[in-house]
């Protein structure tokens, strides 16, 4: 077996956690990430028959039966992941229709997966049904998006339109827009189901007064989605209280669509 600390999928997650912490998106134990792993790749580093612990999940996800996930741990700090990946991260396989997580590696202090595990797994289920190449679900607390949910109406179309107008690239990066979940208590199956429902039509779901969920095919895509939306929110907050002399018009956004071959969400540019 190769040393798992040299596995590209693990090194990439460690780098991403560090980068997110450095962006200020993951204070204290804020934020969590889960990555669907390729079984063949994992078998170079782990004996998949050796289960360290069996942990009840409290939900079912039959579509994810037998799938392997690399997940951040509950109560763990992103800033510490790079110093001890085996303590702060774990590799799990879902069994019993998703009701049990079999720990294959990590959480060396007896810890377990993030408290947002239901939202992550339900979101994976949904995104895989939309895009079979989807692999990553990421949650964090970016300052400007979070602030925007206090001062901007939460209507998804209006929220998206504002973000699209703040930077030319936005509509190219997330043409499907962002969905917005009104405030709910976090860590529950209910917010997990609500998030997964919102993931049917967009890879970005804003949690009002909390943060954001992103989903994508790899860590770069998912990070980039959040990064782009967060930058747009930052521009919005810089100018929201100033008199606007001009902005990107609906016609401009249509021109970007045409030039870059992207299609904005049906009806959201009317
Ligand atoms: Zn959070």
């Amino acid at each position: 077996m190769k040393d798992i600390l040299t596995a590209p999928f693990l090194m990439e997650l460690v780098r991403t956690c560090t980068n997110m912490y450095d962006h200020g998106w993951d204070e204290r134990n804020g934020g969590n990430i889960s990555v669907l792993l390729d079984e063949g790749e994992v078998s170079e580093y782990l004996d998949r028959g050796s289960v360290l612990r069996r942990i009840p999940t409290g939900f079912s996800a039959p579509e994810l039966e037998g799938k392997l996930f690399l997940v951040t741990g509950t109560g763990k700090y992103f800033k510490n992941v790079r110093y001890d990946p085996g303590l702060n991260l774990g590799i799990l396989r879902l069994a019993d229709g998703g009701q049990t997580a079999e720990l294959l590696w990590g959480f060396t202090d007896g810890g377990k997966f993030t408290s947002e595990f239901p939202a992550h797994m339900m979101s994976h289920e949904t995104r895989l049904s939309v895009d079979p190449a989807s692999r990553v679900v990421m949650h964090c607390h970016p300052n400007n998006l979070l602030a925007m949910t206090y001062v901007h109406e939460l209507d998804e179309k209006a929220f998206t339109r504002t973000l699209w107008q703040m930077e030319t690239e936005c509509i190219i990066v997330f043409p499907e827009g962002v969905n917005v979940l009104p405030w709910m208590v976090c860590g529950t199956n209910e917010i997990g189901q609500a998030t997964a429902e919102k993931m049917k039509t967009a890879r970005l779901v804003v949690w009002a007064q909390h943060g954001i969920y992103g989903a994508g095919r790899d860590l770069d895509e998912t990070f980039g989605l959040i990064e782009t939306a967060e930058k747009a929110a930052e521009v919005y907050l810089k100018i929201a209280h100033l008199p606007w002399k001009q902005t990107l018009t609906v016609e401009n956004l249509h021109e970007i669509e045409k030039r870059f071959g992207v299609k904005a969400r049906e009806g959201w540019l009317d």
Side-chain angles (χ1 to χ4, degrees):
M1 290 284 162
K2 298 188 197 168
D3 177 5
I4 193 158
L5 294 178
T6 65
F9 57 81
L10 190 71
M11 290 168 65
E12 187 58 25
L13 182 62
V14 171
R15 273 197 291 264
T16 303
C17 288
T18 304
N19 192 13
M20 291 173 75
Y21 177 75
D22 289 345
H23 274 67
W25 300 349
D26 298 275
E27 74 288 348
R28 200 173 181 275
N29 62 325
N32 28 73
I33 306 178
S34 58
V35 184
L36 173 59
L37 297 176
D38 176 70
E39 276 194 56
E41 196 176 19
V42 174
S43 62
E44 294 177 34
Y45 302 93
L46 278 183
D47 170 11
R48 285 175 293 139
S50 165
V51 176
L52 304 174
R53 277 188 278 145
R54 291 170 59 84
I55 311 168
T57 64
F59 62 87
S60 67
E63 304 293 324
L64 301 179
E65 172 79 28
K67 293 206 184 302
L68 295 163
F69 291 93
L70 173 58
V71 187
T72 54
T74 183
K76 299 296 191 276
Y77 293 23
F78 271 26
K79 77 180 179 68
N80 295 335
V81 169
R82 66 173 149 166
Y83 303 113
D84 195 345
L87 175 80
N88 295 290
L89 307 174
I91 294 178
L92 307 159
R93 177 173 51 217
L94 288 183
D96 305 330
Q99 293 182 54
T100 302
E102 298 175 331
L103 181 66
L104 302 181
W105 174 84
F107 301 145
T108 52
D109 61 348
K112 64 174 193 173
F113 43 77
T114 165
S115 61
E116 298 297 351
F117 200 55
H120 277 254
M121 294 302 114
M122 293 175 198
S123 293
H124 276 290
E125 241 182 350
T126 301
R127 287 310 304 170
L128 285 166
S129 71
V130 177
D131 175 13
S134 185
R135 289 285 175 277
V136 174
V137 172
M138 183 182 281
H139 168 63
C140 56
H141 308 154
N143 302 359
N144 296 289
L145 281 164
L146 182 45
M148 195 170 153
T149 67
Y150 287 83
V151 298
H152 195 284
E153 58 180 309
L154 296 180
D155 174 77
E156 295 168 335
K157 189 169 156 180
F159 200 94
T160 294
R161 184 81 73 89
T162 298
L163 293 178
W164 282 346
Q165 285 180 318
M166 291 305 109
E167 194 193 347
T168 298
E169 300 274 326
C170 282
I171 199 170
I172 305 167
V173 176
F174 51 93
E176 79 271 40
V178 301
N179 285 337
V180 181
L181 199 63
W183 186 86
M184 291 175 76
V185 177
C186 55
T188 63
N189 287 353
E190 287 69 31
I191 201 169
Q193 281 151 0
T195 305
E197 183 62 31
K198 295 280 184 193
M199 284 273 177
K200 283 182 181 168
T201 47
R203 292 165 294 164
L204 288 171
V205 178
V206 170
W207 277 11
Q209 291 83 54
H210 185 136
I212 192 164
Y213 263 75
R217 293 179 169 190
D218 55 37
L219 286 162
D220 269 354
E221 178 193 346
T222 315
F223 181 91
L225 276 168
I226 295 175
E227 186 180 31
T228 307
E230 167 64 0
K231 178 159 185 157
E234 182 177 358
V235 174
Y236 172 72
L237 292 176
K238 282 184 196 293
I239 66 170
H241 59 295
L242 299 172
W244 294 15
K245 306 278 199 237
Q246 55 275 320
T247 183
L248 283 175
T249 63
V250 169
E251 289 68 36
N252 295 152
L253 293 168
H254 279 305
E255 287 176 61
I256 301 167
E257 274 187 302
K258 217 173 289 168
R259 171 67 184 82
F260 290 91
V262 295
K263 190 80 197 79
R265 178 123 146 225
E266 189 67 37
W268 283 28
L269 266 190
D270 298 341

